[in-house]
Amino acid sequence: MKRLTTTFLLLALLAIVRGGPIGSWTSYLAYSDITDIAPAGKRVYVLSSKGLFAYNTSDNSVQTFDKMNALNDCNIAHIDYCKSAKRLFIVYENNNFDLLDDKDNVVNISDYYNKSMTVDKTINSVKVIGKDAFISTNFGILKVNVADAEITATYNLGRKVCDAITHDNHIYAACGEEGIIKGSTKDNLLDKGNWSKEADIKAEHLFELNGQLLAATNGVIYKKNGNEWSVAYEYAFTSCHLTDGQLLFVQDHEVLALANVNTPTYIRQNDYTLKAVAYDNTNHCYWSNQGDGKLCSFTLDEENNPSPQNTNINPDGPKYNYFGFLTHSNNTLWSCGGGFGAGAELFRKAAVQVMQADQWTIYQDEVEGANYRFEDLTCLDIDPKNKNHIFAGGRTGLYEYMDEKIINHYNADNSPLGSATDSNSKNYILTLGIKFDKQGNLWCLNSQAIDRSLFCLNADGTWEDHHKKNLMENKRSLGNMKCMLLDSRGLLWFVNDHWDTPSFYCVDPTNAAMNHYTSFVNEDGTRVETTGVRCVAEDKENNIWVGTSVGPLMLPAADIANGSNSVLQQIKVPRNDGTNFADYLLGGADITCMAVDGGNRKWFGTNGNGAYLISADNMTQVQHFLTTNSELLSNNIEAIAINDQTGEVFFGTDNGLCSYMSDASATSEHMDKNNVYAYPNPVKPDYNGLITVTGLTMNADVKIVTASGALVAEGTSNGGIFTWDGCDDSGKRVASGVYMVQTATSDGKKGTVCKIAIVR
């Protein structure tokens, strides 16, 4: 027993665990734009960048809440805290509701989200009063009992309600241009006829402050005295909040704070623009955003000037939730926002965001004095000779960075790149695809430009024009040339993702010769009609895959030499139902992005249908991740990148970045005791996940045996990874002990042995 314990300790010291367990999900969300703050005793809840985090004032810790660890959805629109139920009421943009208590338990109320209605269900505000939450919508009001987690009333008023409140046995509704209406709680308020006009004030906000009813529209704050309404303050504000007995109207650098309607306090903040401010009676302070988007607290001195207390509070993460382009190399994830592709909106903030060892670096994202819009970066590449030197391209030209700072912006004024407009606007220098070749030269695509299409920015700083007639359409270059790939042969591939000429291309950098693929005929001689060619990738067998609006196509490695006359394969997957019928692989799916993992399995991202994992032989759908069956943040996948060392698969979605720890990684050239290891190790009694063996060669044979040599389990690696569920061949969990992992290459050559300690 003593010897076994010593073995366990030794293995624990030697074990190297990288990444999360196989099958686990992780989110990488931004928390840089605070829009609401809800003090809740020792916690302060913060709505930031449509995500939620909490600051604990007792131990100064920061905790995030998202779909991976607690919540049921993404993109939070409103929050408000219910003191009587000790629950935070959360409303998502899609009309789903969550209730989060102070012990991190979550109750979902999905009735409104799931209910099919002919009226506009848009939610405009949420206000918790006592145990009830009043939810104002574009058709009326919902009343929710927060303690019981149920919708108790739906008032269909047939009009837009901006805000609602209870006061003096009435429900008041601010209806914007239609004024304020009210209904007595003693009447049947489900009947529209029991609601009456209260005032013609075009109010958007309602509050009760120490028994006083207040209404506000931007610029004017009204108070009610008896049956009359009068102006209390003329004050333009950008947001307003009632917390812990103080009503706060936020105006850029100033706050009008009301503890009662007749005693105003003006709080001046000169250092930065305020977006959200809340008063916290428990901690006797105010909470607000800082200029950099972080959370801070302050008290007031004798002259009502803010005195900072806690500052620089927020979770580590990216600054923006835009990840339209991803690439992974040298244990680093590189990203930029995208915004010029299928299904993606324009005008995303131009930002290069880089993650290494879970630490984020945000490259320069502002250009002072620019006479163009710094937005929509769609691609980037890293100088093979200097990782601190990168280029990023997008809607407004080509940007050169050194040590995270922009050192050059190439546009129509200082380079051969051309504008997509007749006025030569700098806002449309479409450089949507770039790639370094092996010599350190940067190839650049220039879309929608007159008499120019393809350039090479040489390593010495000179430009070469490689314009091709086949890249022209109606006197301008093709509409959306992007997704440049340098394959194993040294060939450059790219696509034109545009409805005019959906196509893809291959360039030999050594002589600039180009093949073009503008019509697609499969192996059956059937023409494949597509409205978009989105992306291109190379698999481990050197085949070229093309993602289109109607599914993936494959150009076999052996046929690449045939050039433009090549026949594209539309992979047929047998139905195995006793017939001879087959279906095209992912036929009809709009493929937006692709990546190939260490096991030669293909990951496909789609527009609206989540992400697929297809087996190495292309015949089996291994996974189909959707928001409904996984922790995927959205079914709209814009980019995929894989950490080949760990198998972590990153998904850039229109709701932000998340990842899945897959069971395949890059392969090793050989297997020895220095690179083959298992984790977790030791396997503790409460662990029920997969045990991972990594550092293997391609298709390695793996056997799990007992110390006496009895076979327990066996299989073949996915790339460099083999997983074991901790059970024997009959499905029973194995007993405590030390188990040997015996490995061999696919051709039978002996590999190495590692050990797994299991404690039951």
Side-chain angles (χ1 to χ4, degrees):
M1 185 68 180
K2 181 178 180 181
R3 186 187 311 171
L4 185 60
T5 303
T6 303
T7 302
F8 283 6
L9 292 174
L10 178 61
L11 288 172
L13 290 172
L14 293 176
I16 303 173
V17 179
R18 300 173 183 172
I22 299 296
S24 63
W25 288 84
T26 305
S27 62
Y28 301 92
L29 298 177
Y31 298 95
S32 61
D33 184 19
I34 295 175
T35 52
D36 206 353
I37 303 169
K42 293 181 179 180
R43 270 186 178 175
V44 180
Y45 291 105
V46 183
L47 174 56
S48 183
S49 301
K50 301 182 182 180
L52 180 68
F53 74 88
Y55 175 66
N56 191 314
T57 59
S58 61
D59 61 11
N60 300 319
S61 64
V62 175
Q63 181 178 359
T64 60
F65 301 91
D66 55 44
K67 193 177 177 184
M68 310 299 167
N69 58 25
L71 305 183
N72 288 284
D73 228 313
C74 304
N75 291 342
I76 300 173
H78 309 279
I79 61 170
D80 203 3
Y81 186 68
C82 179
K83 287 187 175 181
S84 63
K86 294 184 178 180
R87 282 174 162 172
L88 183 73
F89 197 96
I90 301 169
V91 174
Y92 299 96
E93 288 183 347
N94 64 1
N95 302 321
N96 204 358
F97 305 155
D98 269 345
L99 301 176
L100 171 67
D101 70 18
D102 55 4
K103 291 182 172 53
D104 301 341
N105 299 307
V106 176
V107 176
N108 180 240
I109 305 175
S110 59
D111 295 1
Y112 186 61
Y113 167 70
N114 290 325
K115 187 174 180 60
S116 178
M117 303 175 70
T118 57
V119 296
D120 184 352
K121 296 169 63 177
T122 301
I123 293 173
N124 301 310
S125 67
V126 176
K127 189 155 287 177
V128 172
I129 303 170
K131 65 177 179 14
D132 294 316
F134 289 83
I135 301 171
S136 301
T137 77
N138 273 3
F139 69 86
I141 303 168
L142 294 179
K143 182 180 177 183
V144 179
N145 185 307
V146 180
D148 295 339
E150 64 177 353
I151 299 173
T152 55
T154 302
Y155 306 114
N156 188 345
L157 304 179
R159 66 185 76 190
K160 177 182 178 179
V161 177
C162 301
D163 201 8
I165 194 172
T166 59
H167 173 73
D168 193 23
N169 297 320
H170 285 76
I171 298 178
Y172 289 79
C175 301
E177 294 292 325
E178 297 188 48
I180 302 173
I181 62 174
K182 69 177 181 180
S184 172
T185 55
K186 298 177 182 179
D187 295 333
N188 175 20
L189 294 183
L190 300 178
D191 184 351
K192 297 177 188 177
N194 288 327
W195 293 77
S196 62
K197 192 66 165 288
E198 163 65 20
D200 288 325
I201 296 171
K202 299 176 182 179
E204 297 172 344
H205 308 278
L206 292 170
F207 300 99
E208 183 184 66
L209 182 64
N210 295 328
Q212 175 78 61
L213 187 61
L214 298 163
T217 187
N218 191 15
V220 185
I221 301 164
Y222 301 88
K223 63 180 179 180
K224 183 180 183 184
N225 294 310
N227 294 322
E228 300 294 327
W229 288 84
S230 61
V231 175
Y233 299 94
E234 292 186 357
Y235 194 81
F237 57 90
T238 55
S239 65
C240 51
H241 314 265
L242 176 62
T243 54
D244 283 0
Q246 285 204 23
L247 180 54
L248 308 172
F249 294 91
V250 180
Q251 180 197 80
D252 294 335
H253 298 281
E254 188 180 78
V255 179
L256 168 60
L258 301 175
N260 63 70
V261 71
N262 298 315
T263 310
T265 298
Y266 293 91
I267 305 169
R268 185 71 183 173
Q269 172 57 268
N270 294 317
D271 294 338
Y272 46 79
T273 300
L274 296 166
K275 286 190 173 183
V277 183
Y279 180 67
D280 183 349
N281 190 49
T282 301
N283 297 291
H284 308 292
C285 66
Y286 295 87
W287 297 94
S288 80
N289 64 286
Q290 294 178 173
D292 58 3
K294 297 179 181 179
L295 177 71
C296 68
S297 67
F298 62 86
T299 56
L300 301 180
D301 62 18
E302 294 179 354
E303 297 180 352
N304 292 328
N305 294 313
S307 176
Q309 301 297 307
N310 297 294
T311 59
N312 298 316
I313 303 167
N314 83 326
D316 182 54
K319 187 175 180 179
Y320 307 100
N321 282 324
Y322 300 136
F323 294 93
F325 177 91
L326 297 172
T327 186
H328 198 284
S329 63
N330 298 322
N331 204 34
T332 303
L333 180 72
W334 304 78
S335 75
C336 57
F340 208 83
E345 76 277 15
L346 285 172
F347 312 130
R348 292 180 175 181
K349 187 68 178 180
V352 174
Q353 304 186 106
V354 179
M355 183 180 68
Q356 185 174 30
D358 293 332
Q359 298 296 312
W360 285 89
T361 301
I362 313 302
Y363 283 29
Q364 180 182 342
D365 59 348
E366 298 286 349
V367 179
E368 293 185 5
N371 59 351
Y372 56 90
R373 301 181 67 147
F374 188 43
E375 296 166 328
D376 297 335
L377 289 180
T378 64
C379 56
L380 66 82
D381 204 13
I382 306 99
D383 187 338
K385 300 178 181 178
N386 183 358
K387 68 176 182 179
N388 296 317
H389 183 218
I390 77 161
F391 283 82
R395 182 167 59 86
T396 59
L398 178 67
Y399 297 85
E400 183 179 7
Y401 296 77
M402 179 65 78
D403 296 326
E404 305 163 20
K405 302 295 183 183
I406 296 173
I407 60 173
N408 280 308
H409 170 218
Y410 298 100
N411 53 53
D413 290 344
N414 60 5
S415 78
L417 298 173
S419 175
T421 67
D422 292 335
S423 62
N424 290 321
S425 169
K426 290 184 181 179
N427 287 324
Y428 290 94
I429 312 294
L430 304 182
T431 315
L432 309 177
I434 62 174
K435 193 67 182 177
F436 276 104
D437 63 23
K438 294 178 180 179
Q439 287 70 43
N441 307 309
L442 185 74
W443 290 78
C444 309
L445 296 165
N446 189 191
S447 296
Q448 299 185 35
I450 296 176
D451 295 330
R452 61 199 76 190
S453 55
L454 178 65
F455 294 98
C456 182
L457 176 56
N458 295 319
D460 61 7
T462 60
W463 288 85
E464 287 185 12
D465 187 350
H466 294 284
H467 177 56
K468 307 293 183 185
K469 292 182 179 180
N470 288 329
L471 298 179
M472 298 296 291
E473 179 105 354
N474 298 324
K475 298 182 181 180
R476 288 186 177 272
S477 54
L478 298 174
N480 189 9
M481 297 184 290
K482 66 173 193 174
C483 195
M484 291 197 89
L485 163 74
L486 182 67
D487 75 5
S488 58
R489 291 161 288 255
L491 300 176
L492 282 167
W493 299 82
F494 59 92
V495 305
N496 179 46
D497 187 13
H498 198 273
W499 59 87
D500 274 349
T501 310
S503 48
F504 71 101
Y505 303 84
C506 177
V507 173
D508 186 345
T510 61
N511 56 22
M514 186 182 77
N515 287 321
H516 60 283
Y517 304 80
T518 55
S519 62
F520 312 131
V521 177
N522 67 20
E523 62 269 38
D524 294 331
T526 302
R527 182 178 174 85
V528 180
E529 301 290 348
T530 177
T531 58
V533 178
R534 315 290 194 208
C535 52
V536 61
E538 182 184 19
D539 68 19
K540 302 298 182 184
E541 297 174 343
N542 309 126
N543 305 308
I544 295 297
W545 289 78
V546 182
T548 79
S549 60
V550 293
L553 306 174
M554 189 187 77
L555 179 58
D559 293 344
I560 290 175
N562 297 334
S564 305
N565 296 318
S566 300
V567 173
L568 296 170
Q569 290 188 12
Q570 221 172 351
I571 303 298
K572 295 178 182 178
V573 181
R575 293 181 181 177
N576 295 323
D577 59 358
T579 69
N580 291 323
F581 295 120
D583 297 299
Y584 291 127
L585 176 66
L586 302 184
D590 189 352
I591 307 296
T592 55
C593 50
M594 300 181 293
V596 179
D597 68 19
N600 200 31
R601 302 180 304 177
K602 291 80 183 178
W603 291 85
F604 296 97
T606 72
N607 184 15
N609 202 25
Y612 292 87
L613 172 60
I614 303 300
S615 62
D617 63 3
N618 310 319
M619 293 293 108
T620 304
Q621 179 179 298
V622 181
Q623 299 280 6
H624 180 199
F625 292 126
L626 297 164
T627 58
T628 52
N629 65 9
S630 72
E631 307 307 318
L632 191 64
L633 295 176
S634 170
N635 289 331
N636 298 316
I637 314 299
E638 298 181 359
I640 299 177
I642 300 175
N643 182 340
D644 285 334
Q645 299 306 308
T646 65
E648 186 173 12
V649 183
F650 296 90
F651 301 99
T653 80
D654 58 355
N655 285 340
L657 177 68
C658 62
S659 72
Y660 172 78
M661 189 59 70
S662 78
D663 58 352
S665 69
T667 58
S668 298
E669 292 184 4
H670 57 276
M671 297 180 290
D672 58 41
K673 63 181 180 180
N674 295 319
N675 66 340
V676 176
Y677 60 90
Y679 66 90
N681 200 359
V683 180
K684 297 181 179 180
D686 58 349
Y687 182 75
N688 295 310
L690 294 173
I691 302 161
T692 302
V693 181
T694 189
L696 307 175
T697 56
M698 177 66 77
N699 297 324
D701 291 321
V702 180
K703 290 182 171 60
I704 310 293
V705 300
T706 65
S708 62
L711 180 65
V712 174
E714 62 182 331
T716 304
S717 65
N718 271 326
I721 282 179
F722 173 81
T723 58
W724 176 41
D725 60 5
C727 297
D728 60 23
D729 57 6
S730 63
K732 295 181 179 179
R733 297 181 74 189
V734 298
S736 294
V738 176
Y739 292 81
M740 309 298 174
V741 181
Q742 299 176 348
T743 65
T745 63
S746 58
D747 58 3
K749 294 180 181 179
K750 186 177 180 180
T752 188
V753 175
C754 70
K755 298 178 181 180
I756 303 173
I758 294 181
V759 185
R760 297 301 190 198

